[in-house]
Amino acid sequence: LAAWAAELLSRAAIGELAFVMLVSFVICFVTEVVSNMATLSIFGAIIAATAQLKGFDPVQMLLVVCFSASFAFMLPMAGGPNMIVYSTGKISVPTMARFGLALNIVAILLGSLYMGLVMPLALGSYADLPAPVS
């Protein structure tokens, strides 16, 4: 299934930074309703295989998935800190969603710039890694 999804995603004619932003956007909003670990389990293999097919660094793209899974600020069930804030009873779900959406957008933009431009310089190249086994 991951190979099939990766094949479909690899056909998209977008550059590496745009792909990082797309992955960050999708992962960020999926983790609003699905646990971080489940999101990583589902999307990690798909994104790594897609990166390999597109000629991008799969390690960098896996780190994009990992970082972006932490960008969930809208809903109480998105993470432990969100639930703690909501449990005080002082913040409503609509208020959390409104401010959380703004935080999500800022995190996606700043995170994508960091993960697409700075992180490759810090990590170096993993081009000599073997291709993932399907």
Side-chain angles (χ1 to χ4, degrees):
L1 184 59
W4 173 77
E7 177 65 33
L8 291 176
L9 281 172
S10 69
R11 295 179 189 167
I14 58 175
E16 190 169 0
L17 184 59
F19 186 70
V20 167
M21 289 184 129
L22 175 67
V23 169
S24 186
F25 178 84
V26 169
I27 299 300
C28 175
F29 286 101
V30 167
T31 56
E32 291 293 343
V33 293
V34 179
S35 77
N36 293 1
M37 289 307 294
T39 303
L40 294 171
S41 296
I42 293 166
F43 286 96
I46 296 170
I47 299 304
T50 304
Q52 192 76 31
L53 290 172
K54 290 186 78 57
F56 301 154
D57 186 351
V59 174
Q60 177 190 355
M61 292 304 156
L62 282 173
L63 287 170
V64 170
V65 173
C66 291
F67 287 172
S68 299
S70 300
F71 294 165
F73 303 111
M74 288 176 54
L75 300 174
M77 67 281 236
N82 295 22
M83 184 57 75
I84 291 170
V85 169
Y86 178 71
S87 70
T88 65
K90 296 181 180 183
I91 298 193
S92 67
V93 172
T95 301
M96 270 187 99
R98 187 173 61 252
F99 286 100
L101 177 63
L103 284 172
N104 281 1
I105 291 169
V106 168
I108 290 167
L109 292 175
L110 291 178
S112 294
L113 289 173
Y114 173 79
M115 292 179 285
L117 302 175
V118 177
M119 194 167 59
L121 299 174
L123 291 178
S125 175
Y126 289 91
D128 57 341
L129 289 176
V133 177
S134 301

